[in-house]
Amino acid sequence: MKKNIAIIMGGYSSEIDISIKSGNVVYSHLSKEKFNAFRVLILKEKWVVLDAQENEFLIDKNDFSFTQNNIKTTFDCVFNAIHGAPGENGQLLAYFNLINLKHTSAPFYQMALTFNKRDTLSAVKAYGIKTATSIYLNKGAKINLDYIISTVGLPCFIKPNNAGSSYGISKVHTKNEILPALEKAYKEDSEILIESFLDGTEVSVGIIQYRGETKVLPITEIVSENDFFDYEAKYEGKSQEITPARISLAQQAKVEKVAKKVYDILNISGFSRSEFIFVHSEPYFIEINTVPGLTEESILPQQAQVAGISLAELFESAIAAAL
């Protein structure tokens, strides 16, 4: 019997369009001989299944099913392609846990933890993982510019604490740029992270569960044409993503070990992509993405391709692990 797979995409954040692209790539590459795949669009105003003609069928939230031509369809597994809320922050996954529906992501608590940059950094620091110096602010908190500069230095990064795809992030070079950067970040989130600038080679490390094992994929080096790896660099071709990364074997071994340790510390399952910056050959952990981009141009699929894993195999392995 072919399994019914719901590919969820969309979401409630600024990342809707990227998520829909990822979901459509999963849908187009997933084997139609092995699975009955359905695209499920999750938006604030509606949860619907889309057929090939883009007709919509409402999801029954009691059991995450839908009815078409008087035939009710339920799902065996959910493939999570929602970047940001509510797919990457654990909310939807807690609901799937309640209705006993399997999914391709980590458990809901792990997803909620890793979506919160501050809490993730706090968790891994306790295990000796190197990170940038940081300050955390809630919206409405008193802002002391001199304290910020004396703690993290200039330049520094100002970013939303709970957001992805580089939305709302600024690299700040002067004292006068701090307040506008905070305003920009607060448009995305009510919690802000301010981090010291780390000068070095940036790399991205993908980890997947593949054929029953946790596998570290070939490492990607990020070379941005812009001042940092912002939205334009990520999604509009303003960066070079070099896989495998141009780092020494010693650096490769070190960052693979640290990335795997982070994956295990945070008790992740499914796909993850963690970012590091090498400072004097030491990898400093920046953040982890638990629903990384899955388009043909995205970093994790590029890494899988270099490892000899096709998109069909990559997506099927996630479903196999979930089931």
Side-chain angles (χ1 to χ4, degrees):
M1 285 285 288
K2 287 202 278 188
K3 301 286 189 187
N4 290 340
I5 309 299
I7 301 162
I8 59 170
M9 51 184 156
Y12 304 165
S13 73
S14 304
E15 301 178 80
I16 289 173
D17 292 342
I18 301 155
S19 171
I20 290 171
K21 279 184 190 172
S22 287
N24 280 319
V25 168
V26 175
Y27 179 73
S28 63
H29 285 274
L30 209 54
S31 169
K32 304 300 184 281
E33 281 138 33
K34 294 179 182 177
F35 305 106
N36 297 316
F38 299 85
R39 294 175 302 154
V40 182
L41 188 61
I42 304 280
L43 301 174
K44 281 180 181 173
E45 62 273 18
K46 62 185 178 184
W47 292 15
V48 292
V49 173
L50 302 174
D51 69 10
Q53 289 74 45
E54 306 294 313
N55 295 312
E56 298 181 353
F57 302 90
L58 277 176
I59 286 282
D60 180 349
K61 293 180 184 176
N62 290 299
D63 59 359
F64 204 72
S65 65
F66 75 100
T67 301
Q68 183 180 4
N69 301 327
N70 293 320
I71 298 169
K72 177 175 172 169
T73 300
T74 57
F75 298 104
D76 298 293
C77 182
V78 173
F79 192 107
N80 184 13
I82 294 181
H83 313 307
E88 197 167 2
N89 66 356
Q91 289 174 326
L92 258 183
L93 308 174
Y95 157 72
F96 292 141
N97 190 55
L98 283 173
I99 63 170
N100 202 27
L101 180 54
K102 296 180 190 303
H103 58 79
T104 56
S105 288
F108 68 90
Y109 174 74
Q110 275 69 33
M111 297 294 282
L113 170 65
T114 53
F115 196 67
N116 185 305
K117 294 181 177 74
R118 178 198 65 168
D119 292 356
T120 304
L121 292 170
S122 298
V124 300
K125 275 184 199 172
Y127 290 83
I129 305 292
K130 293 181 171 67
T131 67
T133 303
S134 58
I135 295 170
Y136 177 79
L137 289 177
N138 286 319
K139 197 162 194 175
K142 190 178 175 186
I143 296 162
N144 183 330
L145 298 181
D146 293 327
Y147 172 73
I148 290 169
I149 293 167
S150 67
T151 303
V152 300
L154 288 172
C156 66
F157 284 101
I158 294 178
K159 58 178 80 170
N161 190 44
N162 301 279
S165 294
S166 299
Y167 284 106
I169 297 185
S170 302
K171 185 177 178 183
V172 167
H173 296 267
T174 66
K175 186 175 182 177
N176 290 341
E177 293 172 342
I178 295 175
L179 290 178
L182 287 170
E183 247 175 73
K184 179 182 173 182
Y186 278 133
K187 284 177 184 168
E188 294 292 329
D189 191 20
S190 61
E191 301 172 353
I192 301 297
L193 196 65
I194 305 173
E195 288 185 319
S196 60
F197 169 65
L198 298 174
D199 194 9
T201 302
E202 182 172 355
V203 296
S204 188
V205 185
I207 298 183
I208 61 173
Q209 301 202 291
Y210 189 68
R211 295 179 179 171
E213 291 182 8
T214 301
K215 182 178 178 66
V216 180
L217 294 171
I219 296 162
T220 300
E221 179 184 348
I222 310 293
V223 184
S224 177
E225 291 175 24
N226 295 348
D227 201 17
F228 66 100
F229 195 43
D230 59 6
Y231 181 90
E232 220 184 25
K234 266 185 188 172
Y235 298 107
E236 295 173 7
K238 297 282 187 178
S239 69
Q240 277 182 286
E241 294 157 10
I242 302 159
T243 312
R246 299 168 300 180
I247 55 177
S248 69
L249 288 174
Q251 285 177 307
Q252 179 187 327
K254 197 173 278 188
V255 78
E256 282 179 355
K257 185 179 178 183
V258 176
K260 177 76 167 51
K261 187 176 178 182
V262 167
Y263 190 92
D264 292 340
I265 288 166
L266 298 172
N267 198 21
I268 304 298
S269 52
F271 298 159
S272 83
R273 204 191 71 230
S274 47
E275 318 301 326
F276 294 86
I277 291 177
F278 277 103
V279 180
H280 306 304
S281 292
E282 286 295 322
Y284 280 67
F285 172 71
I286 306 301
E287 64 179 20
I288 189 166
N289 299 287
T290 49
V291 186
L294 298 172
T295 68
E296 284 95 340
E297 301 80 30
S298 298
I299 293 171
L300 191 90
Q302 284 182 42
Q303 295 174 337
Q305 188 180 20
V306 172
I309 300 168
S310 70
L311 287 181
E313 291 169 323
L314 181 68
F315 303 147
E316 188 180 328
S317 72
I319 292 166
L323 290 170

